[in-house]
Amino acid sequence: MELSGKRFVILVDTQFNDHEFWYPYFRLKEAGAAVTVVASSAGKTYEGKYGTPAKADKTPAEISVADYAGIIIPGGYAPDHMRRDQNMVSLVRAFDQQGKIVAAICHAGWMLVSAGVLKGRTVTSFFAIKDDLVNAGATWRDNEVVTDRNMITSRTPEDLPAFMRTIIAACKG
């Protein structure tokens, strides 16, 4: 189990992309990692874009970044809700500042914009938010996965296999 002993955070909020949440969740568990679901309200159940529920384990205040290998931010409309909570934004910024894996897919780039961690970085995302990322100081590429130091970004659910392979390889390396 290549990630045995590693711990990850996955963020959640209303209207998350079900695939972009559950695929990483189960892939990390399959690899032996522990996964903590973090949202603005611990114990609350959030509904995905396609109706699949996900329950939050903890809030950002209950997380010590030092205890985790990385954070994954799923897309959908959830990132627009997540970035309204400064504690969620600060958690993403703290993971980046500590050099931990920060992985964002699809519309999750909005959280990277709000966290102020894109200046001088090369990333990808769903094409519709390209301008937001570029205006935040990033160089945007249309690739299934883009890695820039500790930051791993991807475009759409179709990119999930490559996204997760890259996250797991980065965590092992």
Side-chain angles (χ1 to χ4, degrees):
M1 301 195 78
E2 62 250 85
L3 298 185
S4 191
K6 302 285 185 178
R7 297 172 67 194
F8 275 83
V9 164
I10 297 183
L11 298 184
V12 73
D13 206 316
T14 188
Q15 295 272 305
F16 63 90
N17 181 293
D18 307 57
H19 307 295
E20 295 167 358
F21 176 88
W22 288 109
Y23 188 105
Y25 179 90
F26 285 119
R27 184 63 191 95
L28 289 169
K29 288 179 102 39
E30 177 185 42
V35 180
T36 304
V37 179
V38 174
S40 296
S41 298
K44 181 176 176 180
T45 298
Y46 294 85
E47 190 170 304
K49 193 172 155 182
Y50 305 113
T52 308
K55 187 175 180 180
D57 301 313
K58 295 186 177 191
T59 66
E62 298 172 295
I63 296 297
S64 173
V65 174
D67 295 338
Y68 291 86
I71 188 168
I72 297 177
I73 312 162
Y77 299 113
D80 191 41
H81 295 282
M82 290 174 193
R83 67 186 186 159
R84 299 172 196 186
D85 181 327
Q86 280 307 302
N87 294 319
M88 296 280 277
V89 172
S90 293
L91 184 64
V92 171
R93 186 179 308 114
F95 268 89
D96 188 59
Q97 288 172 340
Q98 292 188 31
K100 305 288 183 144
I101 294 169
V102 175
I105 185 166
C106 203
H107 285 78
W110 278 335
M111 279 294 282
L112 304 178
V113 169
S114 293
V117 297
L118 289 175
K119 191 168 182 70
R121 304 296 271 279
T122 300
V123 297
T124 194
S125 67
F126 187 66
F127 74 93
I129 68 165
K130 170 187 174 182
D131 291 345
D132 301 317
L133 305 181
V134 169
N135 288 330
T139 299
W140 189 88
R141 299 282 182 253
D142 186 15
N143 297 8
E144 67 180 355
V145 177
V146 173
T147 302
D148 187 323
R149 299 185 304 256
N150 61 310
M151 190 173 290
I152 300 167
T153 54
S154 226
R155 302 172 301 190
T156 66
E158 289 77 19
D159 298 330
L160 280 163
F163 182 60
M164 289 310 299
R165 277 192 305 273
T166 304
I167 291 167
I168 290 168
C171 194
K172 290 183 345 184

